[in-house]
Amino acid sequence: MAVTTAQLVDWIERYAAVIAEQKQYLTGLDAAIGDGDHGINMDRGFQQVLIKIAPVKDKDAGTLLKTTGMALVGSVGGAGGPLYGTFFIRAGTALDGKAEVADADLVAALEAGLKGVVERGKANLKDKTMVDVLTPALEQARARLKEGASIADALSAATDAAEAGMKATIPLKALKGRASYLGDRSIGHQDPGATSSYYLLRTLREALADPPQGASTSTSYVGREQQPTS
Amino acid sequence: MAVTTAQLVDWIERYAAVIAEQKQYLTGLDAAIGDGDHGINMDRGFQQVLIKIAPVKDKDAGTLLKTTGMALVGSVGGAGGPLYGTFFIRAGTALDGKAEVADADLVAALEAGLKGVVERGKANLKDKTMVDVLTPALEQARARLKEGASIADALSAATDAAEAGMKATIPLKALKGRASYLGDRSIGHQDPGATSSYYLLRTLREALADPPQGASTSTSYVGREQQPTS
Amino acid sequence: MAEATVTTRLKKLINTPESEVKDALAGMALAHADLIRVEYDPNVIIRKDAPKKGKVGLVSGGGSGHEPMHGGYVGRGMLDAACPGAVFTSPTPDQMARATKAVDGGAGVLHVVKNYTGDIMNFEMAAELARGEGSQVNAVITNDDVAVQDSLYTAGRRGVGVTVLLEKIVGGAAEAGYDLQKATELAKKVNANGRSMGMALTSCIVPAAGKVTFEIADDEMELGIGIHGEPGRERTKLKPADEIAEILTSTVVKDLPFKRGDEVLAFVNGMGGTPLIELYVVYNAVHQYLTKEGIKVSRSLVGSYITSLEMAGTSVTLLKLDAETTKFWDAPVHTPALRWGV
Amino acid sequence: MAEATVTTRLKKLINTPESEVKDALAGMALAHADLIRVEYDPNVIIRKDAPKKGKVGLVSGGGSGHEPMHGGYVGRGMLDAACPGAVFTSPTPDQMARATKAVDGGAGVLHVVKNYTGDIMNFEMAAELARGEGSQVNAVITNDDVAVQDSLYTAGRRGVGVTVLLEKIVGGAAEAGYDLQKATELAKKVNANGRSMGMALTSCIVPAAGKVTFEIADDEMELGIGIHGEPGRERTKLKPADEIAEILTSTVVKDLPFKRGDEVLAFVNGMGGTPLIELYVVYNAVHQYLTKEGIKVSRSLVGSYITSLEMAGTSVTLLKLDAETTKFWDAPVHTPALRWGV
Ligand SMILES: Nc1ncnc2c1ncn2[C@@H]1O[C@H](COP(=O)(O)OP(=O)(O)O)[C@@H](O)[C@H]1O
Ligand SMILES: Nc1ncnc2c1ncn2[C@@H]1O[C@H](COP(=O)(O)OP(=O)(O)O)[C@@H](O)[C@H]1O
Ligand SMILES: [Mg+2]
Ligand SMILES: [Mg+2]
Ligand SMILES: [Mg+2]
Ligand SMILES: [Mg+2]
């Protein structure tokens, strides 16, 4: 099976919708151990992304993702802008010219994106960042595909790993980013960037689900997560 | 009968004690229609007065009151400083050199003090100031003495008139002082300077009561007045 | 008990309410030893090289809590001395008398007095004392606050933002050799050509009182405030900055009135707790409003120059300029809070 | 519903959270048309006469909400351009790339970057872009905040108060003709010789968030804060100003360490919502502490120069001076927020 640009557009639109919906929640997480802007920044960025990708929805997957990344770099700012921007630009570069993307190529592209994040931010595992979500998630996706699973099933497993990785940031002491200034006081809080990265996997799973899941403006997550943890 | 310097010292000490006790209350009245410092200013001033009159307690009544006034002018500031300062300086000037003061001379001295207040502040009756208390109070005192009452009885009537004058400031719109900046919003609040002037009469009545009333640190008024009206 | 509660509400960088003014004066003396000297009991901030022989002395004063006014304006080209009272309480006559004596270089001294009953009475008593000691003293009273109705039968308008502009302009003129008479006339002209209005988002805490002067809801503001943390003429619903700026500016413009073709100095002031970013938002709206009305902004000042402790809010002051006032506004000034040309 | 509640807590002089930065930039452009020009999308504040041929360009930037930093420091003898991000959010690479291009007079451009992950990454991307367009670009990173533990394995220390001093000193040197290499070295020296620590009495409200970043009781304070309204290293009971000043100053002194006989610039900064009178109370204690330790204060700066919106609090920065840094600190500067000698 292969992934289409339209499915990736669906992913990005779903993600933008979730970010808009969870804006306050993400911002609340960031207020506890950062500067209280992560949701605001990501939402500003993905509103820009929705505008900027409109003319390239018919183009190849590489163009779509690079356009997404450029829009993020030019509008998010903070740590999130270069990190998510680099993630999408690198992933897009890996898919240059491809209108249909083989399952393994998609995962490889996301891995290239993660590599870009690590090069930019130099975070190690357990530094309490988005890397703690993306790394185990993509490892799961790669492993499941190798075992012969469908991309839908592989992303399902990846999303579970992402969720686990996100929750595992709670007891960690932050060593990178703004939260590290808090030292021990960062312990006990879930990392905002890890949380937004978990949404990234979850919306990708939804977009590629077989059969596809409801509309991209799904609000099924609202209940639990809208309450900031602190 | 004649009034001694010691009795006037008692008056000032009683007054200083009441001001200290009602500091927050007076300040609260001033916060509602002024700048929230009348109690603080008067208390700072009378603490200075207590220090400054220590060496002149044996002197004549004029010296005592002029010393009180000078201490106020040099430490209260605001409107209260020049007004109460002038009041005591003028009253003291009228009693220059007198160790014993005839009842009528005392009332005349207080009238001279009031005249000084009016010259300094140019307030008319019903402008919602201390003048609305001092004027009717001293009229009563003068009238009663003329009818042959004792100074104690005259001051009793004066204090009642002072209390009525104080309460009568509530419905007035302020036309002088800081409260006038509030326009109609000054209506419905009791004037702080009128209130401190009422205490001035009341403590004088106590100091000259026949037989004299308890200690000068009496706290009998605390209950009702410590609650600001707004 | 009551005292303890009070203390915990005092979220201030002070030691005790009683020591605040002196501690701050000591800090100013250390930070600006090149410009000023400070005397205590009575408290006066004096220009380092005062008295300047043959120069008119400019003395101002008022309650503390309005910093940088007035101590921050002592120095070359502005004030010769400032008298800081207790917080929000006008200083006492002995302070002003001492200041007058210290800066009298033989050409007389001009007192700049904001129109508050207390300030006026204390300065009057001080002038009597100083004249008794042989100084020639004039006084000018600022009363630029359009939020207050003026009348012969009331205390009249408060002195607010124009005071700062007047101290700069008349300070420049005194430095340039104006005599007492001319300096007094210039001061009156500046006051006559300036108007102000202010608003607040929050009140403030007088340290000795230990609690906010007034309570205000999250969606309300006070219009027509002064500079003592007191409530204003009117409480209304909070509005966007552009609307607030228009209310303040249009009221000020109509009052003088400022007319099409006039050149003005536009001064957007912060009340102490308002961040600079917001003052620029307000300035933008003020400037655009004036431009739309055909009033030319030829000079501007944006910042917290006449404050009410940590009150959040802003005031707008307009001063109609002419060649004389423009010249002395532009003249060199070197004080802790205003400096240019030197 | 939730939105409505949020809005009412926004006691700010703004129009909308989204428009705040642009409205303020428009206000700055109007108020300081003689010094700066403002470009939008990408947002950049540029020195009016940039590029200066043959002069090293100095570019800084960071989130908005720290005013007057950095836009207020654009002008002669300081920055050539500043890039304002969203409130408390580092700007984006396109802003810095545009700024770099606009001020490159052929002698290269120095980026002044505060050590925050976001700022560093965005400036890195901008430098890549600018070099691609043919500019020579160096960067210096400020990391003076002693409240944060430094380590190779963490994000390291934040850049705070020293940034302002560095921009002034290196700006003076660039104006005097330093080349890119020498300017970069001087910048590194300033950063190496400066240390800061801050504290807060209150948090602040990021407009887009609409509520305070942290809640804090009336009798508590945060020690070791940065400049983003974030909580600090430690929450403790509120203390008198003298004690707070001693905690901050002694921690700063021990860190470098500053030693008996050193000459320093002492900078007491307000976080935005703290009135000037309190800053002088703090300065008094800081100066006295230093004097007691035998450290000579030869220059000082007191005021709100690097802020966190309306946060109440203060920070203390000490910079060890030598002949070179003193000379360029004293050099003429003419910007919206700092001006002397001209
Ligand atoms: N060096 C880094 N590497 C990877 N992710 C990081 C790094 N630094 C921060 N992050 C992520 O960025 C998130 C914060 O993003 P955001 O709030 O948008 O930026 P800022 O910290 O500049 O305000 C953190 O929660 C963390 O997951
Ligand atoms: N012109 C005046 N004549 C008489 N009394 C006045 C006048 N102006 C003000 N007062 C009195 O002074 C009181 C306020 O005093 P205070 O709070 O100490 O001074 P300030 O108004 O300067 O803060 C008022 O309540 C009023 O009674
Ligand atoms: Mg953040
Ligand atoms: Mg008062
Ligand atoms: Mg007062
Ligand atoms: Mg941020």
Side-chain angles (χ1 to χ4, degrees):
Chain A
M1 225 191 80
V3 176
T4 63
T5 304
Q7 282 177 303
L8 296 179
V9 167
D10 184 33
W11 170 35
I12 289 164
E13 287 175 351
R14 281 173 186 270
Y15 188 59
V18 170
I19 289 293
E21 193 182 283
Q22 301 300 338
K23 178 174 158 176
Q24 295 298 335
Y25 171 64
L26 289 170
T27 296
L29 290 178
D30 195 30
I33 55 170
D35 57 350
D37 62 2
H38 187 60
I40 300 161
N41 294 348
M42 291 293 283
D43 185 47
R44 183 176 56 243
F46 273 90
Q47 294 310 313
Q48 269 298 309
V49 166
L50 293 181
I51 295 166
K52 291 285 170 65
I53 61 168
V56 301
K57 285 185 182 176
D58 304 329
K59 300 258 167 74
D60 64 284
T63 302
L64 175 75
L65 297 189
K66 280 193 293 182
T67 304
T68 300
M70 287 304 294
L72 293 175
V73 167
S75 65
V76 176
L83 292 170
Y84 277 101
T86 299
F87 179 84
F88 278 100
I89 291 172
R90 294 285 181 94
T93 305
L95 300 179
D96 248 348
K98 301 199 177 170
E100 297 239 313
V101 180
D103 296 349
D105 287 352
L106 177 63
V107 172
L110 299 178
E111 285 169 338
L114 169 57
K115 192 154 166 276
V117 168
V118 173
E119 277 172 23
R120 228 348 116 219
K122 302 184 185 60
N124 301 304
L125 270 178
K126 309 251 182 263
D127 280 358
K128 194 174 183 129
T129 72
M130 53 195 283
V131 170
D132 293 340
V133 163
L134 296 176
T135 305
L138 297 181
E139 275 170 14
Q140 272 296 320
R142 156 84 47 202
R144 290 302 169 92
L145 278 192
K146 264 203 183 140
E147 292 163 23
S150 70
I151 183 76
D153 287 349
L155 286 174
S156 220
T159 303
D160 291 347
E163 187 170 8
M166 170 183 84
K167 288 187 180 148
T169 64
I170 298 177
L172 294 175
K173 172 168 156 179
L175 295 178
K176 282 286 174 338
R178 227 173 254 296
S180 71
Y181 303 139
L182 280 178
D184 286 340
R185 286 178 83 184
S186 65
I187 293 171
H189 298 275
Q190 183 170 307
D191 181 61
T195 310
S196 57
S197 284
Y198 157 64
Y199 297 149
L200 194 69
L201 270 298
R202 198 176 63 184
T203 49
L204 180 60
R205 178 192 65 189
E206 288 165 13
L208 303 191
D210 186 24
Q213 295 187 347
S216 64
T217 50
S218 150
T219 56
S220 50
Y221 326 115
V222 178
R224 188 166 47 92
E225 284 145 7
Q226 266 192 348
Q227 303 304 321
T229 52
S230 79
Chain B
M1 226 190 80
V3 176
T4 62
T5 305
Q7 283 177 301
L8 296 178
V9 168
D10 184 32
W11 170 35
I12 289 163
E13 288 175 349
R14 282 173 186 270
Y15 188 59
V18 171
I19 289 292
E21 193 182 282
Q22 301 301 336
K23 178 175 160 179
Q24 295 298 335
Y25 171 64
L26 290 170
T27 297
L29 290 177
D30 196 30
I33 57 170
D35 58 349
D37 62 2
H38 186 60
I40 299 162
N41 294 348
M42 292 292 282
D43 184 46
R44 184 177 54 242
F46 274 89
Q47 294 310 313
Q48 268 299 309
V49 165
L50 294 181
I51 294 166
K52 291 286 170 64
I53 62 168
V56 301
K57 285 183 180 175
D58 304 330
K59 299 259 167 75
D60 65 283
T63 302
L64 175 75
L65 297 189
K66 281 194 291 184
T67 304
T68 299
M70 288 302 294
L72 293 175
V73 166
S75 64
V76 176
L83 292 169
Y84 278 102
T86 300
F87 179 84
F88 279 100
I89 291 172
R90 293 285 182 94
T93 305
L95 299 179
D96 248 347
K98 302 200 178 171
E100 297 239 313
V101 180
D103 294 350
D105 287 351
L106 178 63
V107 172
L110 299 177
E111 286 169 338
L114 170 57
K115 193 156 166 271
V117 168
V118 172
E119 277 172 25
R120 232 342 121 219
K122 301 182 184 65
N124 300 304
L125 269 177
K126 309 248 180 265
D127 280 358
K128 194 175 184 127
T129 71
M130 53 195 282
V131 171
D132 294 341
V133 163
L134 295 176
T135 305
L138 295 181
E139 275 169 14
Q140 272 296 319
R142 156 84 46 201
R144 291 301 169 92
L145 276 192
K146 264 203 182 137
E147 292 162 23
S150 70
I151 184 75
D153 287 348
L155 286 174
S156 220
T159 304
D160 291 347
E163 186 169 8
M166 170 183 83
K167 288 188 179 145
T169 63
I170 297 177
L172 294 175
K173 171 167 155 179
L175 295 177
K176 281 285 173 339
R178 229 173 251 295
S180 70
Y181 304 138
L182 279 179
D184 287 340
R185 287 178 84 184
S186 66
I187 292 171
H189 298 273
Q190 182 170 308
D191 181 60
T195 310
S196 57
S197 283
Y198 157 64
Y199 297 150
L200 195 68
L201 269 298
R202 199 176 61 184
T203 48
L204 181 60
R205 179 192 65 188
E206 288 166 12
L208 302 190
D210 186 21
Q213 295 188 347
S216 63
T217 50
S218 149
T219 56
S220 50
Y221 325 114
V222 178
R224 188 166 47 91
E225 285 144 8
Q226 265 192 345
Q227 303 304 323
T229 53
S230 77
Chain C
M1 271 310 295
E3 287 294 272
T5 321
V6 158
T7 309
T8 61
R9 295 204 55 179
L10 264 183
K11 288 220 110 172
K12 289 179 184 285
L13 291 166
I14 62 173
N15 292 302
T16 65
E18 294 70 34
S19 70
E20 181 179 19
V21 171
K22 281 203 180 166
D23 289 345
L25 287 177
M28 282 198 75
L30 290 168
H32 308 293
D34 51 331
L35 301 175
I36 59 168
R37 64 175 196 267
V38 173
E39 292 182 0
Y40 303 93
D41 297 315
N43 297 345
V44 193
I45 298 166
I46 304 171
R47 181 171 159 175
K48 184 139 200 183
D49 54 359
K52 299 277 281 182
K53 213 176 160 201
K55 178 186 157 311
V56 167
L58 205 57
V59 170
S60 190
S64 292
H66 307 300
E67 289 67 25
M69 187 178 83
H70 296 277
Y73 303 137
V74 175
R76 174 172 161 201
M78 213 161 165
L79 297 179
D80 294 274
C83 308
V87 170
F88 291 172
T89 300
S90 76
T92 55
D94 50 335
Q95 292 176 264
M96 300 145 186
R98 167 62 197 145
T100 305
K101 184 160 189 177
V103 309
D104 188 352
V109 176
L110 179 60
H111 287 178
V112 180
V113 188
K114 295 180 299 306
N115 188 34
Y116 301 93
T117 307
D119 292 63
I120 298 222
M121 294 190 298
N122 283 288
F123 264 104
E124 268 173 18
M125 294 179 89
E128 289 164 17
L129 288 171
R131 287 188 196 112
E133 292 201 35
S135 286
Q136 206 190 337
V137 178
N138 275 2
V140 62
I141 292 165
T142 60
N143 61 347
D144 51 309
D145 188 352
V146 304
V148 175
Q149 265 156 17
D150 200 6
S151 144
L152 269 179
Y153 308 102
T154 66
R157 289 177 156 177
R158 295 176 285 224
V160 285
V162 160
T163 315
V164 178
L165 310 183
L166 185 153
E167 290 173 3
K168 168 66 189 82
I169 290 168
V170 180
E175 202 75 44
Y178 269 42
D179 66 18
L180 184 57
Q181 190 51 39
K182 278 182 73 186
T184 308
E185 277 159 22
L186 175 61
K188 286 184 177 155
K189 180 171 87 174
V190 171
N191 182 60
N193 285 312
R195 294 291 187 278
S196 302
M197 185 165 166
M199 60 75 61
L201 298 171
T202 65
S203 182
C204 57
I205 299 179
V206 174
K211 55 182 187 208
V212 287
T213 302
F214 60 83
E215 301 279 351
I216 181 163
D218 278 346
D219 62 345
E220 293 177 335
M221 62 178 182
E222 285 279 332
L223 262 182
I225 53 148
I227 53 168
H228 298 87
E230 69 272 57
R233 287 295 279 205
E234 197 192 339
R235 179 165 294 194
T236 75
K237 287 283 161 203
L238 191 55
K239 294 181 177 23
D242 284 356
E243 280 178 48
I244 293 170
E246 177 152 350
I247 292 170
L248 300 179
T249 315
S250 64
T251 311
V252 163
V253 163
K254 273 170 212 139
D255 193 87
L256 189 66
F258 293 86
K259 294 188 300 286
R260 192 163 284 276
D262 279 351
E263 287 206 2
V264 300
L265 188 166
F267 170 25
V268 168
N269 175 60
M271 300 309 299
T274 288
L276 192 52
I277 187 171
E278 296 180 22
L279 297 182
Y280 279 116
V281 170
V282 173
Y283 181 79
N284 180 43
V286 169
H287 191 113
Q288 304 225 8
Y289 177 87
L290 293 170
T291 305
K292 206 183 64 199
E293 296 292 309
I295 295 164
K296 177 160 184 251
V297 182
S298 68
R299 296 292 183 279
S300 67
L301 185 67
V302 181
S304 294
Y305 290 103
I306 165 171
T307 62
S308 290
L309 294 174
E310 72 278 10
M311 180 180 249
T314 188
S315 64
V316 172
T317 296
L318 299 182
L319 173 66
K320 192 167 144 180
L321 291 172
D322 60 18
E324 184 188 31
T325 46
T326 304
K327 175 175 151 202
F328 292 124
W329 175 257
D330 290 345
V333 61
H334 190 179
T335 68
L338 277 190
R339 180 171 179 183
W340 56 75
V342 55
Chain D
M1 272 310 295
E3 285 295 271
T5 322
V6 159
T7 309
T8 62
R9 296 203 55 179
L10 261 184
K11 288 221 110 171
K12 288 177 184 286
L13 291 166
I14 62 172
N15 293 302
T16 64
E18 293 71 33
S19 70
E20 181 179 20
V21 171
K22 281 203 179 168
D23 290 345
L25 287 177
M28 282 199 75
L30 289 168
H32 307 294
D34 52 331
L35 301 176
I36 59 169
R37 64 175 198 266
V38 173
E39 293 182 359
Y40 303 93
D41 297 316
N43 297 344
V44 193
I45 299 167
I46 304 172
R47 181 170 161 177
K48 183 137 199 186
D49 55 359
K52 302 276 283 182
K53 209 169 171 229
K55 178 186 157 310
V56 167
L58 206 58
V59 170
S60 190
S64 291
H66 307 301
E67 289 66 25
M69 187 180 84
H70 298 276
Y73 302 137
V74 175
R76 176 174 158 200
M78 213 162 167
L79 296 179
D80 293 273
C83 308
V87 170
F88 290 172
T89 300
S90 76
T92 55
D94 49 335
Q95 293 175 263
M96 301 145 186
R98 168 61 197 147
T100 304
K101 184 160 190 177
V103 308
D104 188 353
V109 176
L110 178 60
H111 287 178
V112 180
V113 188
K114 297 182 296 308
N115 188 33
Y116 300 93
T117 307
D119 292 64
I120 299 225
M121 292 191 297
N122 283 286
F123 264 104
E124 268 173 17
M125 293 179 88
E128 288 164 18
L129 287 171
R131 288 191 195 111
E133 293 201 35
S135 287
Q136 206 189 338
V137 178
N138 275 3
V140 63
I141 292 164
T142 60
N143 61 346
D144 51 309
D145 188 351
V146 305
V148 175
Q149 264 156 17
D150 200 6
S151 143
L152 269 180
Y153 307 102
T154 66
R157 291 178 154 176
R158 295 177 286 224
V160 286
V162 160
T163 316
V164 177
L165 310 183
L166 184 154
E167 290 173 2
K168 167 66 186 80
I169 290 168
V170 180
E175 202 75 44
Y178 268 41
D179 66 19
L180 183 58
Q181 190 50 38
K182 278 181 72 187
T184 307
E185 275 159 24
L186 175 60
K188 285 184 177 156
K189 179 170 85 174
V190 171
N191 181 61
N193 285 312
R195 292 291 188 277
S196 302
M197 186 165 164
M199 58 77 59
L201 298 170
T202 66
S203 182
C204 58
I205 299 179
V206 174
K211 56 181 188 215
V212 287
T213 303
F214 61 82
E215 303 279 352
I216 180 163
D218 278 345
D219 62 345
E220 292 178 333
M221 63 178 182
E222 284 278 333
L223 262 183
I225 54 148
I227 53 168
H228 297 86
E230 70 271 57
R233 285 295 279 206
E234 196 191 340
R235 179 166 294 194
T236 74
K237 288 284 161 200
L238 191 55
K239 295 181 179 19
D242 285 356
E243 280 179 48
I244 292 170
E246 176 152 351
I247 292 170
L248 300 179
T249 316
S250 64
T251 311
V252 163
V253 164
K254 272 170 213 139
D255 192 89
L256 189 66
F258 293 85
K259 294 187 300 288
R260 191 163 286 275
D262 281 350
E263 288 207 2
V264 301
L265 188 165
F267 169 25
V268 168
N269 175 59
M271 300 309 299
T274 289
L276 192 52
I277 187 172
E278 296 179 24
L279 297 182
Y280 280 116
V281 170
V282 172
Y283 182 78
N284 180 44
V286 169
H287 191 113
Q288 305 225 9
Y289 177 86
L290 292 171
T291 305
K292 206 184 64 200
E293 295 293 309
I295 296 164
K296 179 163 183 246
V297 181
S298 67
R299 296 292 183 279
S300 67
L301 185 67
V302 182
S304 294
Y305 290 102
I306 166 170
T307 63
S308 290
L309 295 173
E310 71 278 12
M311 181 179 248
T314 189
S315 64
V316 172
T317 297
L318 298 182
L319 173 66
K320 192 167 144 181
L321 291 171
D322 59 19
E324 184 187 32
T325 47
T326 304
K327 173 175 153 201
F328 292 124
W329 175 256
D330 289 345
V333 60
H334 189 179
T335 69
L338 277 190
R339 180 171 179 184
W340 56 75
V342 54

